[in-house]
Amino acid sequence: MNKEELMLQKRLIELSRLAYNRGIVTFSDFLNLNELNILHTTPKNQFLSQYKTYGGYDFSERQMAAFLPDALYYDYDYPIQIIEISPANKRFAEELNHRDYLGAVMNLGIERCKIGDIIAEDGKAFLFVKEEMADYIADHLTQIRHTSVKTAFVPEFHADYEPRYEEIKGTVPSIRLDTVLSLAYSVSRSKLTAQIEAGKVFVNGKLITSNGYRLKENDIISVRKMGRISYRGILSETKKSRFMISIRKYI
């Protein structure tokens, strides 16, 4: 690990110690895939309290870690606020994407670690943020590119929300990580091997650097700058011992 990653690991261990010593729930900022991998691969004996992660809905990619004292017998809520961003006037609204929304929020001086997932669809977006930043964002986010926008707090979000996806079916010689990704992205296995070995591929939030990693049904695979897919499983086996599989490629 580099210096920044070691500092993150120390902060997470300290949050665990604080939860244990004070008997309170402590929360991290939003963690990206690499940071979640550091959390999950840190030896458990370095944490004095157990932890859970959540990002506002079950399928979230960026998540907070909650460190829980052993004597915890009460409910707790993650300090996450959801902000709906929509055009002030649909007639004059541009078509905005994830990058537009993220850029506008960060231009307010908000650190990336204070922002969770951004779900952009149907001409609006849902922004997951740390509660401490919610009022500031809601008060100051008035324009994205040339589009005037309005904000509103969302009291709850469907926990089982799943992004839109394209279903892909095809045959592969094995259920290896590289072969499944090759089918999903129509990219050669050699190029994908380079991506995997460069530390750009995560399975269920954990860094995988072996192209021969065998996937299991319903695994979620994230590839940096390429997106996410869900391996759904084997549909059938051909006479030539190839496997017909199903994949969901998230749009």
Side-chain angles (χ1 to χ4, degrees):
M1 287 190 288
N2 61 33
K3 185 177 180 180
E4 277 191 8
E5 292 170 337
L6 286 170
M7 288 177 62
L8 170 68
Q9 187 181 57
K10 289 180 179 179
R11 285 200 301 271
L12 295 172
I13 291 171
E14 179 57 32
L15 285 171
S16 170
R17 183 178 293 112
L18 187 64
Y20 177 81
N21 290 336
R22 296 190 181 180
I24 59 173
V25 185
T26 60
F27 299 94
S28 71
D29 288 331
F30 283 102
L31 304 174
N32 62 29
L33 286 170
N34 187 54
E35 292 164 341
L36 285 167
N37 181 66
I38 291 170
L39 172 70
H40 294 318
T41 56
T42 297
K44 294 295 186 288
N45 60 10
Q46 293 196 39
F47 293 123
L48 295 183
S49 55
Q50 62 175 320
Y51 67 82
K52 294 184 178 181
T53 62
Y54 189 59
Y57 63 106
D58 295 341
F59 201 78
S60 57
E61 183 168 281
R62 298 177 64 87
Q63 300 185 351
M64 286 183 183
F67 294 93
L68 314 174
D70 290 341
L72 183 67
Y73 293 108
Y74 52 88
D75 292 333
Y76 63 94
D77 293 316
Y78 285 80
I80 298 173
Q81 179 66 62
I82 307 164
I83 301 175
E84 181 180 333
I85 306 169
S86 57
N89 189 327
K90 291 183 179 180
R91 183 179 175 184
F92 302 107
E94 301 166 271
E95 187 174 338
L96 302 173
N97 58 34
H98 181 279
R99 182 177 295 181
D100 296 325
Y101 290 107
L102 176 60
V105 175
M106 294 191 69
N107 283 339
L108 297 177
I110 308 296
E111 294 179 281
R112 185 66 179 96
C113 62
K114 306 298 182 183
I115 308 168
D117 284 8
I118 300 173
I119 298 172
E121 60 182 30
D122 298 329
K124 60 184 177 181
F126 293 95
L127 172 69
F128 295 77
V129 301
K130 289 200 76 171
E131 277 183 347
E132 64 198 56
M133 305 307 305
D135 286 336
Y136 179 82
I137 294 172
D139 290 341
H140 291 81
L141 185 63
T142 58
Q143 184 168 320
I144 301 177
R145 288 173 53 187
H146 301 293
T147 299
S148 296
V149 298
K150 58 184 179 180
T151 60
F153 292 125
V154 178
E156 59 182 357
F157 194 80
H158 298 296
D160 59 353
Y161 168 84
E162 185 176 15
R164 293 175 179 173
Y165 60 84
E166 170 192 1
E167 187 164 5
I168 299 172
K169 296 178 182 179
T171 61
V172 292
S174 63
I175 314 301
R176 290 162 47 110
L177 180 59
D178 57 354
T179 59
V180 173
L181 288 177
S182 182
L183 173 63
Y185 294 108
S186 299
V187 176
S188 70
R189 287 170 59 183
S190 60
K191 288 184 178 179
L192 287 166
T193 295
Q195 294 281 85
I196 295 166
E197 293 177 348
K200 296 182 179 180
V201 179
F202 297 80
V203 179
N204 300 326
K206 293 187 178 182
L207 178 66
I208 301 297
T209 56
S210 169
N211 62 328
Y213 180 86
R214 290 191 62 82
L215 294 171
K216 299 183 291 295
E217 196 170 296
N218 296 320
D219 277 350
I220 303 295
I221 305 102
S222 300
V223 185
R224 284 182 178 172
K225 297 185 178 180
M226 294 179 69
R228 275 194 290 181
I229 68 168
S230 171
Y231 166 63
R232 307 301 292 173
I234 298 171
L235 300 175
S236 61
E237 187 172 352
T238 70
K239 293 180 179 179
K240 295 183 178 180
S241 297
R242 291 176 64 89
F243 301 97
M244 172 66 74
I245 65 171
S246 174
I247 300 167
R248 287 182 180 177
K249 183 178 179 181
Y250 294 99
I251 302 170

